[in-house]
């Protein structure tokens, strides 16, 4: 039998869990062209806008308390579409920016296979640090709330790697406009 003090600690932790809806931005022109976007702004395709609208429709009845986005246009545009039915402003943060791919940015992705990585690519340690900082902020600033965050493929992988205590390679790639739910 659990004692009362342990029960209260368990109940408190259970009741104040923050729900994070982690979303990847909608499809972009450069996604279709297989261009390494990195920290470029990006432009949603008509399909990407439709994908964001579908997420908005699916999330319409979820009582969101806050909506965050990377400060890159493709994520901001996706987040605004999702936030609109909730009447929420989108809070932009560089913590959710895509990995800085340095000299690989703007290049055709299939051509990069086997190339040596340039020295100007953001380190994995820095990427994971940003991801951990975002998780800690949301957990501490929004206890017991429902928060939606729109990021990018690699930074979202980093958020999940930190959350699950796994390596990046162990986290499955997110598709455009895919939603994953994390309990913080």
């Amino acid at each position: 039998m659990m004692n009362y003090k342990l029960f209260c600690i368990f109940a408190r932790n259970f009741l104040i869990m923050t729900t994070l809806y982690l979303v990847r931005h909608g499809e972009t022109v450069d996604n279709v062209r297989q261009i390494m976007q990195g920290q470029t702004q990006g432009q949603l395709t008509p399909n990407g806008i439709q994908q964001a609208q579908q997420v908005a429709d699916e999330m319409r009845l979820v009582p969101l308390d806050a909506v965050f986005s990377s400060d890159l246009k493709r994520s901001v545009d996706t987040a605004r579409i999702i936030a609109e039915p909730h009447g929420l402003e989108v809070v932009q943060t560089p913590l959710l920016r895509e990995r800085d791919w340095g000299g690989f940015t703007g290049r055709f992705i299939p051509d990069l296979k086997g190339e040596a990585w340039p020295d100007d690519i953001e380190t994995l340690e820095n990427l994971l640090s940003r991801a951990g900082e975002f998780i800690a902020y949301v957990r501490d600033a929004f206890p017991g709330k429902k928060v939606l965050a729109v990021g990018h493929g690699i930074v979202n992988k980093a958020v999940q790697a930190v959350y699950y205590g796994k390596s990046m390679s162990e986290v499955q790639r997110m598709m455009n406009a895919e939603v994953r739910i994390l309990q913080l």
Side-chain angles (χ1 to χ4, degrees):
M1 180 139 202
M2 186 182 299
N3 73 32
Y4 180 73
K5 184 176 181 182
L6 285 176
F7 173 77
C8 288
I9 291 169
F10 173 79
R12 180 182 167 276
N13 288 337
F14 179 77
L15 294 174
I16 63 167
M17 290 190 77
T18 301
T19 302
L20 176 61
Y21 297 90
L22 188 63
V23 182
R24 183 176 176 205
H25 62 76
E27 178 188 78
T28 66
V29 172
D30 283 344
N31 288 147
V32 173
R33 294 174 48 217
Q34 298 185 64
I35 300 298
M36 182 69 79
Q37 293 176 93
Q39 294 189 358
T40 61
Q41 295 298 323
Q43 179 68 39
L44 295 178
T45 63
N47 184 49
I49 293 168
Q50 183 179 3
Q51 289 172 332
Q53 187 59 58
Q54 183 175 347
V55 173
D57 292 344
E58 292 170 0
M59 301 286 300
R60 186 174 305 278
L61 298 178
V62 176
L64 296 176
D65 297 295
V67 177
F68 285 87
S69 169
S70 156
D71 58 353
L72 300 176
K73 184 178 180 351
R74 60 194 187 263
S75 288
V76 173
D77 291 348
T78 300
R80 285 184 177 146
I81 292 167
I82 298 168
E84 192 274 329
H86 299 276
L88 295 170
E89 292 293 321
V90 174
V91 178
Q92 298 177 38
T93 176
L95 293 175
L96 289 174
R97 273 188 188 181
E98 183 57 296
R99 188 175 193 179
D100 183 350
W101 287 104
F104 279 171
T105 302
R107 305 239 345 250
F108 186 58
I109 294 170
D111 288 348
L112 301 176
K113 187 174 182 171
E115 277 199 35
W117 282 33
D119 293 335
D120 59 352
I121 291 177
E122 179 180 14
T123 66
L124 188 57
E125 293 77 21
N126 188 64
L127 177 67
L128 292 168
S129 176
R130 285 195 289 120
E133 190 176 335
F134 180 74
I135 288 172
Y137 172 74
V138 169
R139 184 188 58 236
D140 295 344
F142 296 92
K145 303 291 185 182
K146 295 182 184 321
V147 176
L148 184 130
V150 180
H152 307 268
I154 301 300
V155 75
N156 284 4
K157 259 187 136 178
V159 167
Q160 293 171 86
V162 170
Y163 174 78
Y164 290 113
K166 295 183 174 185
S167 70
M168 294 276 290
S169 63
E170 294 176 288
V171 177
Q172 188 174 24
R173 178 177 181 260
M174 289 181 77
M175 303 305 291
N176 291 110
E178 181 179 344
V179 181
R180 295 198 182 156
I181 302 170
L182 308 178
Q183 297 293 329
L184 308 180

